[in-house]
Amino acid sequence: MINLKNKVTLVTGGSRGIGRAVCLLFAGAGSDVIINYRSDRRSAADVRKEAEKLGVRAFEMPADVSDKKQVDAMVETAIREFGKIDVLVNNAGIWKYHPIDEMTDVELKETLDINLLGSFYAAMAVVPHMKERKSGVIINISSTAGQRGEAYHSPYAASKGAVISLTKSLAAELAEYNIRVNCVAPGWVETDISRDALSSEQSGDILRQIPLGRVASPEEIAGPVLFLASDLAGFVTGEILNANGGAVLCG
Ligand code: NAP
């Protein structure tokens, strides 16, 4: 039932993990995809080739989302190449170990700049274009950490909490332009970010806190993102969709 034919989707951090799964699921649903990445060009090119096999146009675009000039240039190029952007998925992010009394100012700012300001910059760049077309969907990727906090990861948790308020603010602000803004908040997902934690001694504790008793695959996060981008979610805006195996029971 979900058909995104003739749609164009920009996924930040589309080269690996959840972003990769989003790009390929959207391509399978017929959407052209723009695969943003920061440094891993080979992985981004792999995603492009896989997407093309699904019969859509795909393009990899390097840009550091924490650099507004690079984000503006990426969006400008994307609109020139594809004519429009229908869906923006703000997915790029980092998760680092930062005890409050050990982290530096540079480390604090790095996480906030990528996880929070990166989502602002991409929205700031695409919204004028979406307003003009009176149509658009923005989906931000938050985290369980953004709702319950996370010890030793306070910059990450703060950035993801702010992504939730950003989602609700933009949903209210942009509804009159027919732009829906929603958020998917994953729990533990098997990707490069979580690999070390999930293979450490802590992994038993992690699994015990997830009622479904396992971590998610990236595809299990991409599914809710696709739903929110589709017409099936046409009356949904400002929503935080938890995909966490029951680990944080809040809406
Ligand atoms: P991942 O496998 O490490 O992939 C991260 C992606 O973000 C890569 O494509 C990377 O590009 C890109 N990226 C990082 N910094 C960037 C920057 N400054 N500019 C542009 N792209 C950048 O991570 P993931 O697990 O898929 O995470 C995706 C999102 O889900 C993040 O926002 C994360 O916080 C969130 N999340 C993940 C989990 C989890 O357990 N995995 C749980 C909750 C939320 P390169 O390939 O070029 O490095």
Side-chain angles (χ1 to χ4, degrees), residues 12-20 36-41 43-44 62-67 90-95 113-115 141-145 156 160 184-195 198 218 221:
T12 68
S15 52
R16 295 184 285 116
I18 294 168
R20 178 183 199 279
N36 160 255
Y37 68 101
R38 177 171 53 171
S39 52
D40 189 346
R41 187 174 175 191
S43 296
D64 181 339
V65 296
S66 67
D67 181 330
N90 271 322
N91 165 77
I94 58 170
W95 179 72
D113 284 353
I114 295 174
N115 294 6
I141 305 298
S142 178
S143 169
T144 51
Y156 179 82
K160 293 299 185 177
V184 172
W188 286 97
V189 188
E190 205 162 356
T191 67
D192 293 340
I193 266 189
S194 56
R195 180 156 297 123
L198 293 175
I221 308 305

Side-chain angles (χ1 to χ4, degrees), residues 179-215:
I179 301 170
R180 294 187 297 108
V181 186
N182 288 294
C183 174
V184 172
W188 286 97
V189 188
E190 205 162 356
T191 67
D192 293 340
I193 266 189
S194 56
R195 180 156 297 123
D196 288 350
L198 293 175
S199 58
S200 72
E201 284 174 4
Q202 281 181 273
S203 63
D205 293 340
I206 291 172
L207 290 179
R208 272 190 289 282
Q209 287 168 27
I210 307 171
L212 282 182
R214 61 180 180 82
V215 300

